[in-house]
């Protein structure tokens, strides 16, 4: 656990991969390369939710998702000799595009291993930013082994999508902004997959306000985090099945301790609820949001949340809208089934 100051704030998280200091350092490092994204709200959605909701719109971020924060922090933290050989990563989409863009901004090569089931719009983002696409099978084992082979052949530095100090610290910068924009927030709902975003958000939030509540939002077809919290150890599923293509990874050894110790609960929602939330974002917020980005709203509107003590104790809820790189063909197919 971390050490605390006289007011109970976590100052250093010796047991965790990042802390408030590394997150503040990340903010300074990435400031020239990322947007400070806006907060949206809707009285219509508040009336449905029964709470005040504040949407942190990372769908307006560079490359269309929060991932540029962690990727740019990781890549601009490299020294020149490390960076010269380029970077490599494996990702189903948003992290891939973010690494390609951050590498382009630094002027170095990016080798991107992408599973063959990745959404076409996300693959096109990688190519647009100059990343070299290398295909893998859909399994994490295939992704990791091919990335390792590229690393050995090129000497490129691996930029992990979530299980890395610099990635986690970069993602945590979204929370620094959120709590400056809406300081009175008492609960934050965050999508969860590999855990980089929620780890960074949690470590930042609990350092600023130890009483803040952090809730993870997870799809029913990839509910390994909920199962892990219940079991007290990392659970990896034999397969995942969800429209939320960005939420199919499993927790890592650096993100799990934060989720285990500091995330208050995991809310699990099904794909129909995610699609309903996407529609609400389109129709009411007037924002294009991918399934992984809409899951926070789905969780806020869920019966599971409304029947919990957390709902009764929450008043002003921050929702991380993690990205807007939606493959519209998938959306229309899901709506017309």
């Amino acid at each position: 656990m971390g050490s605390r100051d006289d007011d109970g704030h976590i100052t250093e998280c010796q047991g965790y991969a990042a802390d408030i200091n590394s997150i503040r350092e990340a903010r300074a490092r990435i400031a020239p390369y990322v947007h400070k994204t806006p907060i949206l709200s809707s009285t219509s959605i508040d009336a449905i939710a029964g709470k005040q909701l504040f949407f942190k719109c990372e769908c307006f971020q560079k490359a269309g998702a929060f991932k540029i924060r962690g990727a740019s922090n990781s890549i601009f933290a490299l020294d020149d000799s490390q960076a010269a050989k380029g970077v490599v990563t494996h990702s189903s989409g948003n992290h891939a595009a973010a690494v390609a863009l951050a590498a382009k901004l630094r002027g170095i090569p990016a080798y991107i291993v992408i599973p063959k089931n990745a959404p076409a719009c996300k693959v096109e983002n990688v190519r647009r930013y100059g990343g070299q696409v290398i295909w893998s099978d859909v399994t994490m084992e295939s992704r990791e082994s091919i990335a390792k082979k590229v690393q050995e052949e090129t000497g490129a530095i691996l930029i992990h999508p979530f299980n890395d100090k610099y990635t986690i610290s970069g993602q945590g910068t979204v929370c620094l902004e959120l709590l400056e924009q809406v300081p009175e927030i008492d609960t934050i709902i965050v999508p969860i997959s590999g855990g980089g975003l929620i780890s960074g958000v949690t470590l930042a939030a609990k350092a600023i306000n130890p009483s803040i509540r952090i809730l993870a939002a997870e799809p029913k077809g990839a509910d390994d985090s909920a199962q892990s919290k219940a079991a007290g150890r990392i659970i990896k599923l034999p397969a995942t099945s969800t429209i939320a293509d960005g939420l199919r990874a499993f927790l890592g050894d650096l993100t799990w301790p934060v989720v285990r110790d500091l995330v208050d609960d995991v809310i699990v929602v099904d794909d129909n609820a995610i699609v309903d939330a996407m529609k609400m974002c389109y129709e009411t917020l007037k924002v294009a949001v991918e399934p992984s980005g809409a899951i926070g709203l789905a969780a806020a509107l869920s019966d599971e949340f409304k029947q919990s003590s957390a709902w009764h104790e929450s008043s002003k809820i921050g929702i991380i809208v993690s990205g807007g790189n939606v493959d519209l063909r998938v959306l229309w197919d899901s709506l017309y089934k």
Side-chain angles (χ1 to χ4, degrees):
M1 296 295 288
S3 58
R4 295 177 182 268
D5 64 17
D6 294 339
D7 297 320
H9 297 74
I10 299 171
T11 53
E12 279 184 68
C13 295
Q14 287 107 343
Y16 306 118
D19 57 35
I20 191 66
N21 297 321
S22 68
I23 294 167
R24 286 176 173 145
E25 287 167 8
R27 186 181 195 178
R29 184 179 290 120
I30 70 176
Y33 312 109
V34 304
H35 295 312
K36 181 176 181 178
T37 53
I39 304 289
L40 295 184
S41 60
S42 163
T43 54
S44 299
I45 295 178
D46 288 353
I48 295 166
K51 303 289 178 182
Q52 281 188 278
L53 306 183
F54 299 90
F55 297 90
K56 178 62 170 165
C57 291
E58 288 293 287
C59 48
F60 297 137
Q61 187 53 265
K62 288 185 180 178
F66 73 95
K67 291 283 193 176
I68 189 65
R69 295 175 182 270
S72 57
N73 190 46
S74 297
I75 286 171
F76 282 92
L78 298 174
D79 65 36
D80 289 344
S81 62
Q82 291 174 312
K85 294 178 180 178
V87 291
V88 59
T89 197
H90 57 85
S91 166
S92 62
N94 284 337
H95 177 70
V99 169
L101 176 56
K104 181 181 180 181
L105 291 170
R106 181 139 190 198
I108 61 175
Y111 308 97
I112 314 293
V113 178
I114 301 181
K116 59 189 179 184
N117 65 343
C121 66
K122 296 185 178 182
V123 179
E124 286 310 307
N125 283 346
V126 172
R127 291 193 166 123
R128 186 165 68 249
Y129 298 134
Q132 299 182 39
V133 174
I134 301 158
W135 294 104
S136 75
D137 289 333
V138 300
T139 65
M140 187 60 71
E141 290 79 11
S142 173
R143 286 164 50 165
E144 290 176 342
S145 67
I146 292 174
K148 189 168 188 289
K149 184 181 177 188
V150 172
Q151 203 176 357
E152 290 168 353
E153 291 174 352
T154 63
I157 300 291
L158 177 68
I159 306 297
H160 199 280
F162 52 87
N163 203 48
D164 175 83
K165 171 184 178 175
Y166 290 98
T167 302
I168 293 168
S169 298
Q171 317 310 23
T173 63
V174 73
C175 186
L176 298 183
E177 291 179 16
L178 172 62
L179 293 180
E180 287 172 0
Q181 291 164 310
V182 194
E184 63 271 26
I185 279 175
D186 52 50
T187 300
I188 306 176
I189 302 179
V190 190
I192 192 167
S193 181
L197 175 61
I198 199 166
S199 293
V201 167
T202 301
L203 291 168
K206 299 275 187 179
I208 294 165
N209 175 8
S211 66
I212 204 163
R213 183 178 296 100
I214 307 293
L215 303 174
E218 187 168 50
K220 188 175 182 181
D223 66 344
D224 57 289
S225 298
Q227 292 188 35
S228 297
K229 283 280 277 184
R233 61 183 175 84
I234 295 179
I235 300 289
K236 294 188 177 182
L237 306 177
T240 59
S241 177
T242 176
I243 190 176
D245 59 273
L247 302 180
R248 294 172 180 160
F250 304 133
L251 295 166
D253 63 344
L254 299 183
T255 57
W256 162 240
V258 182
V259 174
R260 178 192 64 207
D261 299 345
L262 300 176
V263 171
D264 294 278
D265 202 0
V266 182
I267 301 168
V268 176
V269 297
D270 64 26
D271 278 7
N272 287 337
I274 294 172
V275 173
D276 288 344
M278 290 175 72
K279 286 180 66 181
M280 192 175 289
C281 288
Y282 273 71
E283 294 170 357
T284 307
L285 281 182
K286 313 301 181 190
V287 172
V289 176
E290 64 186 270
S292 306
I295 196 171
L297 174 57
L301 299 177
S302 68
D303 289 340
E304 180 182 341
F305 180 44
K306 290 184 176 180
Q307 292 164 7
S308 70
S309 60
W311 189 84
H312 295 285
E313 294 164 5
S314 298
S315 172
K316 299 177 187 299
I317 302 172
I319 294 179
I320 308 295
V321 180
S322 54
N325 294 315
V326 61
D327 188 331
L328 293 176
R329 178 184 54 79
V330 173
L331 173 60
W332 306 140
D333 287 351
S334 69
L335 292 174
Y336 290 119
K337 274 180 183 173

